[in-house]
Structure formats: structure tokens, C-alpha cells
Amino acid sequence: MIKVMIGAALTCVCLAAQAPRPCSVLTAADASAIFGVPAIQTRDRSGCGWEDAAHKRSLSIAIYKVAAMFEGARQGYSKEGTVHDEGGLGGPAFSAARPTWGTGEIELYCLKQSIVLMLHLEAVDAASRLPQLRAVMRKLDPKP
């Protein structure tokens, strides 16, 4: 069992190494367009995060080179939250929120060229910023 888990972890690390760097995909201009104000780059667990100067909005991106992650995330949110299919984003996509998040957090997932892109927005008005998230997701290119 431990060998299987170690093997899976090494596979994920190798696959992650082949995905593009998050900040090469999501730019300051993209984050600023979502926030509606200038964005400042931060360090977060995704390797690339953005926030506004007042620290009221934050945005991160995750890139997974494991296409199965897309359906796994959809199924997880279907059980614990709200999932809405999204069209016109360059591949299959959905937005997701959990009831515990209220309107303060939202995620947008899109499967492009076998790479899963996920944008995570934290803001009081996160749900109302979904159109801006969609516009940025539409133009993101996951090629390394």
C-alpha cells in the first residue's frame, strides 16, 4: 500500500513538472481584470497568487496535467456544493462553490488540451466576478 502511494506521489510530481508554470499562464493583467483594481503578485501554495492592495480579493491558479482531476473535482463538488456547467471557455468547464463558502469564494475549472486549469477567487463579491473569471479562463493557454 505504501509503495503504491509513493508511486502515485512520484507520478504526480513528474506530471506536475511538465505542466506550465502558473504565473506564465495567469498574468497581473488577468488578475487585475478579475479584481477590477490593480493586482499584486503573492506567493501561495499554487506557486502563483494575486491580491489587491487592500487584501480584500485574492486569486490563485492551479494547473493539473491529470485530466481525471477534472471529473474528480466535478464529482466532489456535486456531493458537497454547487456545480454549474460553463460553456465557451475552450473546453469542458464548470464553476463550483460550497455552501460554507457563501459568496466569498468560487472556483472555475476548465479542461484544455488534457490539462486542468483551476482559478480560485476569494472576495466578498466573488460570485458576481464570475463573468471576469470566465473572460480570463477563455484566453488562458496551458501550453508550457
Side-chain angles (χ1 to χ4, degrees), residues 56-73:
K56 292 185 177 183
R57 294 185 177 107
S58 67
L59 175 69
S60 62
I61 182 172
I63 300 172
Y64 304 101
K65 196 163 181 178
V66 180
M69 168 63 189
F70 181 81
E71 278 306 317

Side-chain angles (χ1 to χ4, degrees), residues 49-120:
W50 302 93
E51 63 182 27
D52 66 354
H55 307 287
K56 292 185 177 183
R57 294 185 177 107
S58 67
L59 175 69
S60 62
I61 182 172
I63 300 172
Y64 304 101
K65 196 163 181 178
V66 180
M69 168 63 189
F70 181 81
E71 278 306 317
R74 179 192 296 275
Q75 290 173 3
Y77 282 110
S78 293
K79 293 175 187 174
E80 300 177 13
T82 305
V83 173
H84 294 284
D85 287 332
E86 301 283 344
L89 300 181
F94 68 91
S95 56
R98 289 191 177 117
T100 55
W101 290 355
T103 58
E105 291 184 56
I106 195 160
E107 291 184 345
L108 182 61
Y109 287 81
C110 188
L111 179 61
K112 293 185 178 188
Q113 306 165 15
S114 76
I115 295 175
V116 179
L117 298 171
M118 186 271 295
L119 296 175
H120 179 93

Side-chain angles (χ1 to χ4, degrees), residues 23 27-29 31-32 35 37-43 48-55 57-59:
C23 281
T27 67
S32 296
F35 293 161
V37 296
I40 302 164
Q41 188 173 359
T42 64
R43 280 277 173 200
C48 184
W50 302 93
E51 63 182 27
D52 66 354
H55 307 287
R57 294 185 177 107
S58 67
L59 175 69

